[in-house]
C-alpha cells in the first residue's frame, strides 16, 4: 500500500506566502523559499505553490520563484496559477517544477488536460477543483473561488480522470481555513469513483483531521497551509502520530 502523503500548500501573492479563511481575509505567512526549505527538511512529502491571483489578474505564474524553490528543496513540488497553455507548463517544468496544477483553465478548456497528459505525461497534471455545497449539490468555482460554474464536483472530477489527469486536488471552500476537518464524505465519494489519487484540501486544524481524512475520506494525500505556516502542527510530530494510528506514512 502506498504511503499517505503530507503536503504543505503555499499560496503566493506578490511574492509572499499568504493564508486566508474561506478564500478571503489573507494574512502574511512568510518567505515561500524559506518555508519550502523548512518543510523539505522537516519531512514533508511534497509541496504545492499556488499563485492565487494569477488567474484572476491574468498574470503568468512567476518563473523566478520556481527556480529559487527548485534550488533550495529536495522533494517534489507542484506549481499552479495562470497556466493556460502547453508553453506555460513547459516553462514551469523547465524552471524545476515536478508537476503543474490547473483549475480555472481546465474548466474553461478541458482539452488542456488531454494536451498536458499527452505531451508531458499524466503524472505532471494535477487538476485542482474548488467546490462548495449548494442546494443543487457540490458546485465548482473559478478564479480562486470567485465565480460559480455549471460544473459539479463528482462529474467534473470523473471527466478530468478520464482525460488523463494524474491527480485530483479537491478543496472544499466551505472548510477552507475553518480548521474543523476535511470534507471526508465528498472525498470518499471521489476516491471510490476515480482511478487516480485524491488530495484532500481545506479544513485541517488538528492531527486527528489528517487521520480522519486518510481513513474516512480515503484520501491519498492531505494538503494543509495555516496549521503548518503558523507552527500549530509540526510535520515530524504529525507523521509520528499518524504512524501510531496505523497509517502508512514515510518517516
Amino acid at each position: 500500500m502506498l504511503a499517505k502523503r503530507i503536503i504543505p500548500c503555499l499560496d503566493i501573492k506578490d511574492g509572499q506566502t499568504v493564508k486566508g479563511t474561506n478564500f478571503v481575509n489573507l494574512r502574511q505567512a512568510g518567505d515561500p523559499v524559506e518555508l519550502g526549505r523548512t518543510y523539505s527538511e522537516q519531512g514533508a512529502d511534497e509541496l504545492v505553490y499556488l499563485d492565487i491571483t494569477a488567474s484572476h489578474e491574468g498574470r503568468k505564474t512567476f518563473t523566478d520563484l520556481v527556480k529559487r524553490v527548485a534550488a533550495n528543496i529536495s522533494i517534489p513540488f507542484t506549481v499552479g496559477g495562470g497556466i493556460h497553455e502547453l508553453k506555460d507548463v513547459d516553462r514551469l517544468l523547465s524552471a524545476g517544477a515536478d508537476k503543474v496544477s490547473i483549475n480555472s483553465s481546465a474548466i474553461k478548456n478541458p482539452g488542456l488536460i488531454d494536451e498536458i497528459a499527452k505531451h508531458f505525461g499524466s503524472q505532471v497534471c494535477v487538476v485542482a477543483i474548488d467546490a462548495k455545497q449548494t442546494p443543487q449539490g457540490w458546485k465548482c468555482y473559478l478564479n480562486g473561488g470567485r465565480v460559480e460554474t455549471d460544473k459539479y464536483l463528482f462529474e467534473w472530477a470523473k471527466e478530468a480522470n478520464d482525460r488523463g489527469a494524474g491527480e485530483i486536488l479537491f478543496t472544499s471552500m466551505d472548510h477552507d481555513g475553518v480548521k474543523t476537518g476535511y470534507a471526508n464524505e465528498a472525498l470518499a465519494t471521489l476516491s471510490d469513483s476515480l482511478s487516480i489519487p485524491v488530495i484532500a484540501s481545506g479544513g485541517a486544524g488538528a492531527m486527528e483531521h489528517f487521520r480522519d481524512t486518510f481513513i474516512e475520506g480515503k484520501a491519498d494525500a492531505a494538503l494543509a497551509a495555516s496549521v503548518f505556516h503558523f507552527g500549530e502542527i509540526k510535520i515530524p510530530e504529525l507523521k509520528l502520530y499518524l504512524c501510531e494510528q496505523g497509517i502508512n506514512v514515510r518517516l
Side-chain angles (χ1 to χ4, degrees):
M1 185 178 163
L2 286 174
K4 303 292 189 181
R5 290 170 288 150
I6 301 297
I7 306 177
C9 178
L10 297 91
D11 290 339
I12 309 299
K13 185 174 190 284
D14 304 324
Q16 284 296 306
T17 312
V18 295
K19 187 65 194 102
T21 303
N22 301 126
F23 284 44
V24 293
N25 301 324
L26 301 177
R27 59 176 172 149
Q28 296 267 346
D31 177 73
V33 179
E34 288 304 315
L35 275 174
R37 183 192 287 142
T38 300
Y39 294 142
S40 177
E41 290 167 353
Q42 285 181 352
D45 297 291
E46 297 179 22
L47 298 174
V48 171
Y49 283 87
L50 297 177
D51 185 356
I52 59 170
T53 51
S55 297
H56 180 53
E57 295 169 5
R59 288 185 292 102
K60 301 292 186 186
T61 306
F62 33 104
T63 315
D64 289 345
L65 176 67
V66 176
K67 287 178 179 170
R68 288 194 293 128
V69 170
N72 279 277
I73 69 170
S74 57
I75 55 175
F77 70 103
T78 300
V79 178
I83 297 166
H84 302 291
E85 52 194 343
L86 286 180
K87 69 180 183 184
D88 296 327
V89 180
D90 190 41
R91 177 166 46 85
L92 294 165
L93 295 179
S94 297
D98 298 276
K99 309 176 196 176
V100 296
S101 169
I102 53 173
N103 188 335
S104 301
S105 56
I107 286 181
K108 291 173 183 169
N109 172 23
L112 182 60
I113 301 169
D114 307 68
E115 289 179 30
I116 294 172
K118 180 181 163 194
H119 282 82
F120 302 105
S122 289
Q123 79 285 351
V124 161
C125 185
V126 179
V127 173
I129 304 175
D130 298 332
K132 66 179 172 184
Q133 280 188 301
T134 70
Q136 295 80 39
W138 282 93
K139 294 203 84 171
C140 302
Y141 283 71
L142 289 177
N143 293 12
R146 295 175 181 87
V147 182
E148 185 179 308
T149 72
D150 60 356
K151 291 199 184 292
Y152 289 90
L153 169 63
F154 302 116
E155 291 82 357
W156 172 231
K158 183 72 171 68
E159 181 181 341
N161 184 146
D162 294 345
R163 284 180 177 274
E167 295 180 283
I168 297 295
L169 166 54
F170 162 52
T171 301
S172 165
M173 294 171 62
D174 301 313
H175 294 71
D176 177 67
V178 181
K179 301 184 182 177
T180 54
Y182 294 93
N184 291 325
E185 196 174 322
L187 283 160
T189 302
L190 283 172
S191 293
D192 287 340
S193 61
L194 304 178
S195 62
I196 56 177
V198 176
I199 304 168
S201 169
M207 293 192 194
E208 292 80 12
H209 297 153
F210 290 87
R211 175 198 65 198
D212 293 346
T213 204
F214 290 137
I215 296 172
E216 296 166 23
K218 304 180 183 178
D220 298 278
L223 179 145
S226 57
V227 290
F228 295 141
H229 300 340
F230 302 117
E232 295 158 42
I233 294 177
K234 301 281 197 300
I235 292 170
E237 293 167 15
L238 172 61
K239 286 196 160 186
L240 282 173
Y241 165 79
L242 291 171
C243 207
E244 288 165 2
Q245 297 293 311
I247 291 164
N248 180 21
V249 290
R250 184 177 63 84
L251 293 173

